[in-house]
Amino acid sequence: MFFGKKDCGRNFRPGKILAMLILLVPLSLAHVFAATHQYNERGYDIKISYNDSAHPGDAVFVRLDISTPDISISSQKASGTLVLYVNGSASRKASFYSLKDIGEEKSLLAGIPLSTWWTPEVTFRIGITCTVPGKQSAQIELPFKLVDKKFDSDTVYLNASNTGIVTNTSKEKKQQSDKLSEIIWKINPSSVYQASAFTPPTESKRFTSYFGDRRVYAYSTGGSSTSEHYGNDYGIPTGSSVCACADGKVVLSEWRIATGYSVVIEHLPGLYSIYYHMSELECEVGDSVKVGDEIGKSGATGLATGPHLHWEMRLNGYAVDPIFFTTDFAFQDN
């Protein structure tokens, strides 16, 4: 059974991991555990909420709730920068943006994706710069640790058609790739649609491939290539409902050589959900969607060995395990 429009997978929540022939639940954090800190050294108070640990391929999100005893900043722009230091060097950074959906300019959020190739032996720390108009900037450092996770390796044997898709070097395929890259690397600070936990795009719990899997594509011609799987694959029949995992705006809806009928939805600044290999599209670029809205039907178009839905999340251009975003990643319940 699959839910219809505006009711797709609303009640699904990830369960426990079962080791079976058919994979049921992807490996990831079951919850985002929030660490909180209070700072009031610069004439204003900052409550910091963040996940102080995560798996490779997840993300670290930091929320700043700012208040001042002497002036109102509700109509002014507080700002800040989040930096992740890896082995003492600044590795990745992100700007904070306002969570306008809760009506407060002084509640800021930023997230940084974590590479699937990092290991717990690497040292990490978080640096935060926070600026409030009329006040001194705050410089804050916080601890962070990586929890070990092993990713599966698999060999995918391709027929002649799929081999042709992987080895295709046409101008059209490159243009499609460049177009997607331009979209997922774009950060619109005002694009705040939903910061609460996301909902998977189907009620199905049947997974055929996991985020972060290391893959070898074995060609029908005898060659091979390696890749990393950037999403979770649901093994669902062609024609099953595919629904938006959160509120947002459709920024891509088209057929692509490698991924077939594809949709990309913007949810937060730099945060996008991606849906591949569908048989039909039921949304257009520019559409505003709500969580559970049907955006297409599953299929086996593009590079696919059978009917399934590929669900992917991109944060600041990098792939992040989609299950991470089914938690309270923005600490709305704190």
Side-chain angles (χ1 to χ4, degrees), residues 8 21-22 24 43 48 58 118 139 156 164 171-172 182 190 218-219 236 251:
C8 180
L21 181 62
I22 297 299
L24 295 181
I48 302 175
D58 286 337
W118 289 342
Q139 304 286 336
V156 180
K171 181 179 179 180
E172 181 183 9
E182 184 178 354
S190 61
Y219 302 156
I236 54 179
V251 292

Side-chain angles (χ1 to χ4, degrees), residues 88-327:
S89 299
S91 175
R92 293 179 180 178
K93 65 174 57 178
S95 296
F96 284 91
Y97 50 85
S98 297
L99 289 177
K100 295 180 180 179
D101 57 328
I102 63 171
E104 296 182 4
E105 288 283 339
K106 52 190 175 184
S107 292
L108 308 179
L109 186 70
I112 289 178
L114 307 175
S115 171
T116 61
W117 300 98
W118 289 342
T119 63
E121 290 72 29
V122 178
T123 60
F124 299 88
R125 61 185 171 88
I126 292 171
I128 299 169
T129 300
C130 180
T131 302
V132 175
K135 298 290 183 179
Q136 271 190 297
S137 295
Q139 304 286 336
I140 302 165
E141 287 195 357
L142 297 171
F144 179 80
K145 67 178 180 180
L146 206 63
V147 180
D148 196 20
K149 178 179 178 180
K150 303 300 182 184
F151 295 96
D152 291 338
S153 297
D154 191 22
T155 298
V156 180
Y157 295 92
L158 303 180
N159 60 20
S161 176
N162 282 328
T163 295
I165 291 174
V166 174
T167 58
N168 185 327
T169 59
S170 69
K171 181 179 179 180
E172 181 183 9
K173 186 181 178 184
K174 183 180 185 305
Q175 288 174 336
Q176 291 174 352
S177 178
D178 291 344
K179 180 179 180 179
L180 179 64
S181 293
E182 184 178 354
I183 289 172
I184 63 176
W185 285 94
K186 188 173 184 179
I187 300 174
N188 301 308
S190 61
S191 296
V192 178
Y193 298 99
Q194 180 174 324
S196 57
F198 291 7
T199 301
T202 171
E203 70 164 353
S204 174
K205 300 178 184 179
R206 180 178 180 263
F207 286 81
T208 56
S209 187
Y210 289 152
F211 167 84
D213 285 354
R214 296 8 178 164
R215 284 182 167 178
V216 175
Y217 285 121
Y219 302 156
S220 63
T221 54
S224 67
S225 63
T226 60
S227 70
E228 179 183 354
H229 192 231
Y230 287 148
N232 287 317
D233 286 350
Y234 292 87
I236 54 179
T238 294
S240 302
S241 292
V242 176
C243 298
C245 65
D247 297 356
K249 183 177 75 172
V250 177
V251 292
L252 183 143
S253 180
E254 65 184 28
W255 179 85
R256 305 176 71 244
I257 293 171
T259 60
Y261 288 108
S262 308
V263 170
V264 180
I265 302 174
E266 181 182 35
H267 302 288
L268 287 171
L271 182 61
Y272 300 86
S273 63
I274 298 176
Y275 314 78
Y276 285 158
H277 309 299
M278 291 187 284
S279 60
E280 299 177 32
L281 299 176
E282 297 189 9
C283 62
E284 298 179 352
V285 172
D287 284 353
S288 294
V289 295
K290 294 293 185 181
V291 59
D293 281 356
E294 188 173 77
I295 57 173
K297 302 287 189 182
S298 63
T301 58
L303 177 59
T305 57
H308 73 288
L309 169 67
H310 173 96
W311 180 38
E312 185 174 322
M313 297 294 302
R314 292 294 186 118
L315 174 61
N316 303 340
Y318 295 96
V320 174
D321 189 343
I323 299 302
F324 176 86
F325 294 99
T326 65
T327 66

Side-chain angles (χ1 to χ4, degrees), residues 83-92 125:
V83 181
L84 182 67
Y85 293 89
V86 180
N87 284 338
S89 299
S91 175
R92 293 179 180 178
R125 61 185 171 88

